[in-house]
Amino acid sequence: MQVVKYMFQPHGDERGQLVALEEFKDIPFTIRRVYYMYDTEKGVVRGRHAHKSLEQILICIHGACKIRLDNGTEKKVVPLEKPYEGLYIPGSLWREMYDFSPDAVLLVLASQLYNEEDYIRDYDKFLETLKSPGIQ
């Protein structure tokens, strides 16, 4: 499984740092939805689902967390620890976000508006969809 990590260009001076993101320049899709997670308690695992077609970029803009990715045959853990790096997650990958630092803020840029029908929330069903033609 190839993991694509984006390194965004920070711009800074004595006033601090700024990272600007633009769709199709820094982000490989149209940004249709933005959300973020924070105050995640120790031991909590978020995600635990896949999407049929949604694409995402995850950026831990404060603190740190880990992302476990699973394509049905291989699993990888990707740490997010810098506010200028993002993890690209295409559809058809199971994802779990965990090991959040107490100050973590995880920002998610998504290619689609929320649509419950795009979610695969059962791991066994996720594995079944990978065997179906036209789902990857």
Side-chain angles (χ1 to χ4, degrees):
M1 169 185 359
Q2 182 180 8
V3 173
V4 179
K5 219 172 191 182
Y6 285 78
M7 301 305 277
F8 303 117
Q9 180 63 51
H11 304 278
D13 56 26
E14 68 280 352
R15 300 171 294 167
Q17 299 293 318
L18 178 143
V19 173
L21 303 175
E22 298 178 17
E23 55 191 19
F24 298 113
K25 182 177 177 188
D26 306 289
I27 306 300
F29 51 78
T30 298
I31 300 167
R32 301 286 312 273
R33 184 169 181 240
V34 176
Y35 60 94
Y36 53 92
M37 297 168 226
Y38 65 99
D39 284 347
T40 305
E41 296 290 329
K42 185 174 180 70
V44 170
V45 177
R46 302 290 309 253
R48 291 186 173 157
H49 65 266
H51 288 278
K52 296 173 186 171
S53 61
L54 179 87
E55 298 173 83
Q56 295 176 318
I57 295 271
L58 279 58
I59 306 166
C60 198
I61 58 175
H62 196 265
C65 67
K66 293 178 182 162
I67 313 300
R68 182 179 300 113
L69 300 174
D70 180 342
N71 66 3
T73 56
E74 183 180 1
K75 295 178 183 179
K76 282 198 176 179
V77 173
V78 181
L80 289 178
E81 302 167 330
K82 298 176 180 74
Y84 54 82
E85 64 184 10
L87 176 64
Y88 173 74
I89 305 178
S92 297
L93 274 184
W94 189 264
R95 78 273 331 262
E96 297 177 355
M97 296 79 89
Y98 68 102
D99 199 17
F100 289 85
S101 64
D103 59 344
V105 179
L106 181 63
L107 177 73
V108 181
L109 307 175
S111 65
Q112 298 174 16
L113 299 176
Y114 176 81
N115 177 3
E116 182 60 33
E117 292 184 14
D118 188 65
Y119 282 75
I120 305 168
R121 297 188 184 275
D122 178 272
Y123 187 74
D124 291 330
K125 288 182 184 176
F126 164 69
L127 295 176
E128 286 176 27
T129 63
L130 295 176
K131 298 175 188 173
S132 302
I135 298 293
Q136 293 184 358

